[in-house]
Amino acid sequence: DFFTSQTVACLSLAHQHLGSLSSIRNLLLKAHRTACLQHNEFGQATLINLLLRNYLNDNLYDQAAKLVSKVRFPESASLNQYVRHLYYLGRIGCVQLDYTKSYTNLNQAFRKAPQNTGVGFRTAVTKLSIIVQLLMGDIPDRSLFSEPSTADAVLPYFELTQVI
C-alpha cells in the first residue's frame, strides 16, 4: 500500500514537471477508487492530495471543492498528508471567497507543519495566509514577517502592509 502510493506520487510529480499533469487525472481517480475499495487509508490520503494538486494546478477549483465535499479524508493519515490537505483546503477556500475557513485551515497547516524542514511549504502557507488576512481586511501579525526562514520571501507583503 505504501509503495503503491509513493509510486503514484512520484509519477504525478514527474508529470507535473513535464507539464502534463492533467493527463494522469483518470489514473488518479481510478487509483483512489481502488484504495477506497481496499480500505487503504494511507493510499486514500495520498491520492486525495494528489487529485487536489492536479485540480488546483489546472485552476479547477470547483472540481476540487466538489471532490472535498464528496470524499472523507482518512483520520489515520500521516501528519504530512494532513498538513498538505489543510493547505489545499485553504487555497480552495481563498478562491471561493470563504476567507474565514481558508484562514483557519492555513493557520492549522502552519502550526502542524514540521518546524525544521519544509521551508518552502511553510513559506507558501505564510504567503497565502497573509493574502487571506489582507482580503479579510485585517493586518497580519508582525511575527509572520520576522520568522527567519521566511523573512526574505514575505518582505514584499510586509511592505504592502506598511502602506495600508
Side-chain angles (χ1 to χ4, degrees):
D1 295 339
F2 175 77
F3 181 70
T4 304
S5 299
Q6 292 303 315
T7 304
V8 173
C10 289
L11 176 70
S12 178
L13 187 62
H15 277 275
Q16 184 176 5
H17 286 301
L18 293 172
S20 62
L21 192 56
S22 59
S23 66
I24 63 164
R25 192 171 298 140
N26 287 332
L27 173 74
L28 294 175
L29 288 168
K30 289 177 186 177
H32 179 260
R33 185 174 30 242
T34 303
C36 289
L37 291 173
Q38 294 176 349
H39 302 287
N40 175 3
E41 291 191 354
F42 183 81
Q44 288 176 37
T46 302
L47 289 162
I48 289 170
N49 284 336
L50 290 174
L51 282 165
L52 287 175
R53 182 173 69 189
N54 194 304
Y55 287 137
L56 297 179
N57 187 56
D58 290 340
N59 295 325
L60 300 172
Y61 288 92
D62 290 334
Q63 287 185 337
K66 196 178 292 185
L67 175 71
V68 168
S69 69
K70 299 279 184 191
V71 299
R72 182 189 61 84
F73 193 78
E75 294 174 8
S76 63
S78 70
L79 182 63
N80 289 338
Q81 291 295 335
Y82 182 62
V83 168
R84 191 172 293 129
H85 186 70
L86 288 172
Y87 171 68
Y88 292 144
L89 291 179
R91 281 184 59 186
I92 293 167
C94 180
V95 170
Q96 293 188 330
L97 308 179
D98 191 0
Y99 299 130
T100 306
K101 185 177 175 183
S102 174
Y103 182 67
T104 302
N105 287 326
L106 291 169
N107 270 345
Q108 279 186 325
F110 186 78
R111 276 191 249 115
K112 293 184 183 217
Q115 299 295 320
N116 300 329
T117 59
V119 175
F121 178 78
R122 292 177 62 80
T123 302
V125 172
T126 302
K127 286 180 179 180
L128 189 57
S129 178
I130 291 169
I131 291 171
V132 169
Q133 280 184 293
L134 290 172
L135 288 170
M136 289 191 313
D138 298 336
I139 304 238
D141 189 35
R142 287 198 181 268
S143 64
L144 286 175
F145 302 108
S146 61
E147 187 171 324
S149 61
T150 61
D152 291 337
V154 296
L155 184 63
Y157 300 98
F158 179 70
E159 292 171 357
L160 181 64
T161 60
Q162 297 304 310
V163 174
I164 295 175

